[in-house]
Amino acid sequence: MTTSAGELCPDDCYAVMGNPIAHSQSPRIHRLFARQTGQSLSYKALLVERDGFAQAVAAFLVAGGKGLNVTIPFKQEAFEIADELSPRAQRAAAVNTLLIHDDGTLYGDNTDGAGLVRDLTRNLKLTLGGKRILLLGAGGAARGVLAPLLEQNPSRLLIANRTVERAKQLADSFSDLAEVEGCGFDALSGRSFDIVINATAAGLQGQVPALPEGVIGPHSCCYDMMYGSEPTAFMRYARQRGAQSTFDGLGMLVEQAAESFLIWRGVLPNTGPVIEALRKVTS
Ligand code: ATR
């Protein structure tokens, strides 16, 4: 259900703003977090016109809202309107979490990368340190997770993208943090990786990145940042190539939400039961 940004908030009020927003799982996740941690709050999904983001945030603020999640296509705009930014939001050049201070100023953070790393390391028990990681895609989704991935000290992080130049530029802009390279898909021929993360939007059209044969095989753990009720196109592709394991991004979604909840409420929810509850609904 979507409601208006200016509706007065009886409880401490939070929302997710996006376009489209109807299928967002965030209200369900945050209500489960609130119940689990005994917090009294409301959380709604707000459909915002593509040219109306700043206005919608202003209306939400006047109505007494305490915080927002921001999703496609507003993460860059949220970055621009925030009064103060966390270092990881600055790195990502995108904001998915806004905390509204009592004086009306906006603190912007980005919890996507932390959510991915927590899902990989805590839920899926993968070690990233010393591993060869391939990140597919060089758009906003890839940029948002790069710094937290590099903090895990992989032995190599390669960004491969359909448009080679974007991969190179993205790698360059993170090269002060660690050794990171960018290339096109063809250049992956003959190379293998321990962990392959799909951050492209190819799955939205049911497509997969055009990887050379051999890049994914029995040695690879494959993670798709997308999720759905069925295994994603990338997961199916990886399974056909004998990947050791394949995962979707539902855990990342719940983990990034938990990190937002922590910023707003000062308490980190237990994500395991929430991931389980969502799996039941989506399967
Ligand atoms: P997002 O914020 O979701 O990352 P984006 O910034 O538009 O969205 O980036 C989309 C990413 O998915 C890009 O890396 C894009 O590749 P290009 O830079 O070459 O456009 C990638 N992408 C989209 N469709 C794809 C496809 N069919 N095959 C491979 N990559 C694709």
Side-chain angles (χ1 to χ4, degrees):
M1 190 185 69
T2 58
T3 40
S4 143
E7 217 169 80
L8 276 175
C9 300
D11 286 323
D12 280 359
C13 182
Y14 300 85
V16 56
M17 290 186 176
N19 187 338
I21 202 65
H23 294 106
S24 172
Q25 297 280 355
S26 294
R28 188 178 163 81
I29 294 171
H30 284 282
R31 284 174 203 149
L32 288 170
F33 287 165
R35 197 185 309 159
Q36 182 199 91
T37 59
Q39 307 265 318
S40 177
L41 58 86
S42 71
Y43 190 107
K44 57 193 174 183
L46 296 171
L47 177 67
V48 171
E49 293 299 322
R50 281 174 184 266
D51 59 355
F53 179 70
Q55 216 181 333
V57 173
F60 187 74
L61 203 148
V62 169
K66 300 282 184 196
L68 285 166
N69 280 135
V70 182
T71 188
I72 290 167
F74 301 123
K75 290 185 187 183
Q76 275 80 20
E77 216 176 324
F79 170 79
E80 280 155 26
I81 67 167
D83 300 293
E84 197 193 338
L85 290 163
S86 70
R88 60 190 182 182
Q90 253 156 3
R91 269 284 169 190
V95 157
N96 78 336
T97 306
L98 285 168
L99 170 69
I100 302 170
H101 289 304
D102 290 341
D103 65 359
T105 55
L106 299 172
Y107 172 75
D109 201 347
N110 191 318
T111 65
D112 286 332
L116 172 67
V117 167
R118 281 176 63 95
D119 193 36
L120 290 169
T121 58
R122 296 197 191 192
N123 301 333
L124 307 175
K125 311 273 185 259
L126 298 175
T127 304
L128 306 183
K131 296 289 168 62
R132 297 162 302 175
I133 299 181
L134 172 62
L135 181 63
L136 301 171
R143 171 178 281 276
V145 300
L146 255 177
L149 280 176
L150 289 169
E151 275 166 21
Q152 297 291 308
N153 295 316
S155 64
R156 148 167 311 169
L157 201 154
L158 185 58
I159 303 165
N161 194 46
R162 182 175 60 182
T163 310
V164 182
E165 208 38 49
R166 277 185 97 186
K168 291 194 166 160
Q169 275 169 9
L170 186 58
D172 278 354
S173 59
F174 282 79
S175 59
D176 59 316
L177 290 186
E179 208 175 307
V180 46
E181 282 175 76
C183 68
F185 297 142
D186 288 349
L188 298 173
S189 212
R191 302 176 83 166
S192 64
F193 300 87
D194 305 304
I195 299 172
V196 181
I197 299 167
N198 181 29
T200 72
L204 293 176
Q205 292 97 38
Q207 295 176 353
V208 292
L211 302 179
E213 282 304 320
V215 172
I216 291 177
H219 47 275
S220 338
C221 294
C222 296
Y223 189 99
D224 195 348
M225 283 169 49
M226 295 202 171
Y227 65 91
S229 51
E230 304 291 326
T232 65
F234 178 70
M235 288 166 73
R236 294 198 306 273
Y237 169 89
R239 285 178 191 173
Q240 281 158 9
R241 273 145 195 84
Q244 192 183 101
S245 47
T246 58
F247 307 102
D248 71 9
L250 186 70
M252 173 181 173
L253 177 79
V254 175
E255 294 296 345
Q256 62 79 29
E259 292 279 324
S260 297
F261 197 90
L262 173 66
I263 293 163
W264 296 327
R265 310 298 299 183
V267 46
L268 186 65
N270 180 10
T271 50
V274 177
I275 295 173
E276 226 172 273
L278 262 79
R279 280 266 176 245
K280 279 191 194 135
V281 174
T282 56
S283 64

